C-alpha cells in the first residue's frame, strides 16, 4: 500500500534520493543559528561545579550529570561566551565515535569539550526532534563516514 502511495506522488530525483516535490531542501547552516564545537583545551576539573560533557558522556541512552567531570563556575562562564548549550539544542559527537546525537532535554547549565558539536536549530524552520532523527539517519551516517578523517580516531570537521 505504501509503495502505491509513494509512486503516486511527484518526486524530484536529487543526490539525497527521491524527495517529494512539495518538500523544501535546506542546508544545515540555514536551519540552525549556530554550529560550534566545545573548548579546545582541557579545563581544570573540580569535585563540585558545573557539569562538563565529553563524547564518552553521551554514549548511553541517557546522560547522568551526576557522573560527569565538573569545572568551576568561572571557567564555565568563560567557555559559554563562544559555546552555550541550552534546552532544545542538539549535541553531536565529532571525535572518536562520530555521529552520536543527543537532544538537550534538561535546563541545568553545562559546558562541552571539543569532541562534541553544539547545534542550535531554528525552531521556526525545523523541530529539534526531527533534526536529531535526520542526523541519526543512514544517509547522514554515510555522508559523515565519507567526510570524517579515518585515522586512528575519527574526526569530523565542522565545515
Amino acid at each position: 500500500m505504501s509503495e502505491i502511495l509513494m509512486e503516486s506522488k511527484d518526486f524530484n530525483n536529487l543526490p539525497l534520493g527521491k524527495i517529494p516535490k512539495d518538500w523544501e531542501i535546506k542546508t544545515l547552516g540555514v536551519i540552525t543559528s549556530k554550529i560550534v564545537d566545545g573548548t579546545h583545551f582541557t579545563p581544570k576539573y573540580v569535585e563540585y561545579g558545573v557539569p562538563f560533557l565529553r563524547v564518552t558522556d553521551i554514549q548511553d541512552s541517557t546522560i547522568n550529570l551526576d557522573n560527569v567531570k565538573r569545572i568551576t563556575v568561572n571557567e564555565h562562564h568563560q567557555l559559554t561566551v563562544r559555546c552555550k548549550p541550552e534546552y532544545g539544542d542538539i549535541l553531536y559527537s565529532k571525535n572518536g565515535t562520530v555521529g552520536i546525537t543527543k537532544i538537550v532535554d534538561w535546563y541545568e547549565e553545562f559546558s562541552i569539550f571539543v569532541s562534541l558539536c553544539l547545534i542550535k536549530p531554528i525552531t521556526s524552520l525545523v523541530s529539534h526532534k526531527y533534526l536529531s532523527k535526520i542526523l541519526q539517519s543512514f544517509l547522514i551516517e554515510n555522508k559523515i563516514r565519507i567526510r570524517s578523517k579515518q585515522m586512528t580516531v575519527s574526526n569530523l570537521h565542522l565545515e
Side-chain angles (χ1 to χ4, degrees):
M1 179 71 167
S2 64
E3 293 164 347
I4 295 169
L5 291 174
M6 292 286 287
E7 292 304 319
S8 66
K9 284 193 167 210
D10 289 328
F11 288 87
N12 287 323
N13 285 316
L14 300 174
L16 296 172
K18 284 177 98 173
I19 305 293
K21 286 189 177 184
D22 57 343
W23 281 21
E24 200 173 338
I25 307 300
K26 299 206 180 255
T27 64
L28 195 55
V30 169
I31 62 171
T32 59
S33 62
K34 186 175 241 184
I35 300 173
V36 65
D37 54 9
T39 183
H40 288 237
F41 69 90
T42 303
K44 181 181 178 199
Y45 298 131
V46 295
E47 189 172 346
Y48 302 102
V50 179
F52 182 75
L53 298 183
R54 302 157 302 151
V55 70
T56 54
D57 299 315
I58 71 165
Q59 294 192 17
D60 292 332
S61 58
T62 59
I63 298 172
N64 184 347
L65 293 178
D66 294 332
N67 294 330
V68 301
K69 300 284 187 188
R70 295 192 172 264
I71 60 175
T72 66
V73 172
N74 272 352
E75 195 157 25
H76 167 68
H77 287 299
Q78 290 172 7
L79 298 179
T80 58
V81 169
R82 184 174 85 68
C83 177
K84 183 175 181 169
E86 298 172 299
Y87 182 87
D89 290 344
I90 297 171
L91 300 176
Y92 194 79
S93 65
K94 64 176 249 350
N95 296 100
T97 306
V98 175
I100 299 171
T101 305
K102 295 288 183 207
I103 296 173
V104 178
D105 60 358
W106 64 92
Y107 290 98
E108 184 177 350
E109 289 196 27
F110 66 98
S111 286
I112 63 173
F113 195 46
V114 67
S115 57
L116 295 176
C117 172
L118 175 68
I119 302 171
K120 291 186 165 287
I122 299 171
T123 55
S124 62
L125 298 176
V126 66
S127 152
H128 62 262
K129 289 179 182 178
Y130 179 76
L131 181 55
S132 177
K133 290 293 184 193
I134 292 296
L135 290 170
Q136 295 172 43
S137 72
F138 180 73
L139 175 69
I140 298 302
E141 183 181 299
N142 281 338
K143 297 259 184 218
I144 295 301
R145 190 178 302 120
I146 291 166
R147 289 184 178 232
S148 65
K149 237 186 193 175
Q150 296 297 319
M151 296 176 60
T152 318
V153 177
S154 293
N155 182 17
L156 177 66
H157 297 279
L158 294 185
E159 63 274 351

